[in-house]
Amino acid sequence: MAKVDTSLVAHLPLFAGVTPEALDEILREARSARYPKNSAIFEQGAGAQSFFLLLHGHVRAAKTSPTGEQIVVRYVAPGETFGLAMAIGATRYPATAIAVEDSVVLIWPISAWPRLVERFPSLAANTLQTVGTRLQESHTRILEMSTQQVEQRVAHALLRLAKQSGKKLDHGIEIDFPISRQDIAQMTGTTLHTVSRILSGWESQGLVESGRQRIILRDPHGIVVLAERNADSGPA
Amino acid sequence: MAKVDTSLVAHLPLFAGVTPEALDEILREARSARYPKNSAIFEQGAGAQSFFLLLHGHVRAAKTSPTGEQIVVRYVAPGETFGLAMAIGATRYPATAIAVEDSVVLIWPISAWPRLVERFPSLAANTLQTVGTRLQESHTRILEMSTQQVEQRVAHALLRLAKQSGKKLDHGIEIDFPISRQDIAQMTGTTLHTVSRILSGWESQGLVESGRQRIILRDPHGIVVLAERNADSGPA
DNA sequence: CCGATAGTTTGCGATAGCGCAAAACGGGAC
DNA sequence: GTCCCGTTTTGCGCTATCGCAAACTATCGG
């Protein structure tokens, strides 16, 4: 099996406090795989057999209701873990994961988790940390959905994406993976129509530049003004 | 210091896989305290000095936005932990905890956590489990807020409360702590006015019986019908 | 180069739920 | 018993946002 270069992942939060030798041992249990754009990595409801670490690309985690409506739970950026069903004791994946770009992931069999945690307790601590952080972010999202109107929510969502996965350009920050109006709608609890109207508005104000699955927050004003539009949010 | 009876807490998920002696040691690090109805246990933004286990009573965790709007994050039932800021590496509480009834809690100093986790790794694993479960519930809540309308959300919220903290009566299930229309509104992302209208409607249909801070899901139909209202809303 | 496909824009009517305001109600304090 | 205060109910106009429909436009395969 092709070895994974430890130096590429050693600095990740997941492996904080793990010695190089231990890391090596951990990585030996994983295999890597490549998922082409738009392919599913796992489906909601399927038996959870693995957990994942994204090395390259971007992954969308989406949750579907019994009636077929869907939300985007989050976008996974390189270095982040996903599909942690086992950590919470679930036997099935609670969401679907789709590669939105050609992506490379590390895959551990779920059966390796108990053993790894026993040998390297910091794995559990680190995972607890990231899951806890995500819980907080969820609460913030609920707060926003409860108290802000759509335009503010979209502004905030884009700012977060820019922060997480923004590529700096000379005239602004581009969200570094393909994302549609529909996706943004599913992140903010609205419809693609409304998102389209909002972005059109911002575009005509010179705040953003956007096209098919492409969004750029323009630098002089875009970022500042959008941030002000939620005259409330603190540091993300 | 008054000793806590281990037999009262031994069965809790938090202590799964912990030997009685270990439990004893863990409990020795805690103190207990009583909070009267409507008193604050900790405030959002305050430095996190402790984490808590509710022994008796009920606690409301609420998060306030910078603009002063508030949501109810959850109600804590006996046996559940709360104020786990340390587990996620936060130094301040991300929400406010208020006793909605006279309540008794166990309190550990946050400084004890690293040591406890090191000695008893299952604590970390168990905490990861509960935090993960809460994360899932949050996602479900977001999904609901995005896709359902207010009446469905209120129905679902009440059913969850009944399940978590319902007291069985001969004519139905009563939510076993004081809860106002306003509280329900803050759990479901609406206003107390709308909640009031919805409950009035249900009351006149005989589905619920409600009064000042008191809600009873009536047995023959209340529970079933509210559950169905959730399943899918076909054309009314 | 062209057609097909998926994503985007825009108009317009419909409406769920908000927000304000005022009145009714219930429970506890004294 | 009576007063007071927090909670609940209800009416009514308003509007943000949805939902549908149709036109438009990049992008990709061939």
Side-chain angles (χ1 to χ4, degrees), chain A residues 5-206:
Chain A
D5 185 348
T6 59
S7 71
L8 292 175
V9 296
H11 68 286
L12 298 179
L14 173 62
F15 300 124
V18 171
T19 65
E21 307 79 57
L23 179 54
D24 210 62
E25 184 178 338
I26 294 169
L27 291 178
R28 261 199 300 277
E29 307 246 13
R31 66 188 176 90
S32 74
R34 182 184 160 285
Y35 289 89
K37 180 171 177 171
N38 292 327
S39 62
I41 300 173
F42 54 81
E43 303 260 7
Q44 176 172 344
Q49 262 128 22
S50 317
F51 61 97
F52 304 83
L53 172 62
L54 182 62
L55 292 179
H56 186 77
H58 281 276
V59 169
R60 180 180 62 233
K63 191 173 175 74
T64 305
S65 77
T67 60
E69 320 222 42
Q70 201 171 67
I71 59 160
V72 172
V73 173
R74 67 180 180 121
Y75 278 92
V76 182
E80 297 181 350
T81 50
F82 64 103
L84 301 180
M86 83 294 156
I88 73 165
T91 61
R92 313 193 155 268
Y93 293 112
T96 294
I98 306 238
V100 296
E101 295 178 308
D102 289 1
S103 296
V104 178
V105 303
L106 280 185
I107 308 180
W108 283 264
I110 222 175
S111 55
W113 177 250
R115 183 166 11 105
L116 289 175
V117 162
E118 181 159 9
R119 281 183 59 70
F120 312 109
S122 26
L123 282 183
N126 295 340
T127 303
L128 177 54
Q129 193 109 341
T130 73
V131 172
T133 302
R134 287 183 206 160
L135 178 58
Q136 280 225 63
E137 289 165 355
S138 278
H139 289 161
T140 300
R141 184 164 164 188
I142 291 171
L143 181 57
E144 283 182 11
M145 289 196 56
S146 298
T147 61
Q148 304 187 326
Q149 28 194 82
V150 174
E151 187 172 5
Q152 296 178 290
R153 304 206 300 266
V154 173
H156 207 162
L158 291 188
L159 288 169
R160 274 189 292 239
L161 287 175
K163 188 168 192 175
Q164 185 208 33
S165 302
K167 182 165 83 182
K168 187 145 181 50
L169 305 181
D170 42 345
H171 57 302
I173 298 180
E174 175 170 13
I175 292 172
D176 204 18
F177 54 84
I179 184 168
S180 71
R181 308 292 187 258
Q182 171 79 327
D183 294 325
I184 296 170
Q186 290 179 346
M187 298 183 72
T188 52
T190 181
T191 64
L192 80 164
H193 307 276
T194 299
V195 171
S196 178
R197 281 179 243 269
I198 288 171
L199 287 181
S200 295
W202 289 347
E203 187 135 28
S204 68
Q205 293 169 56

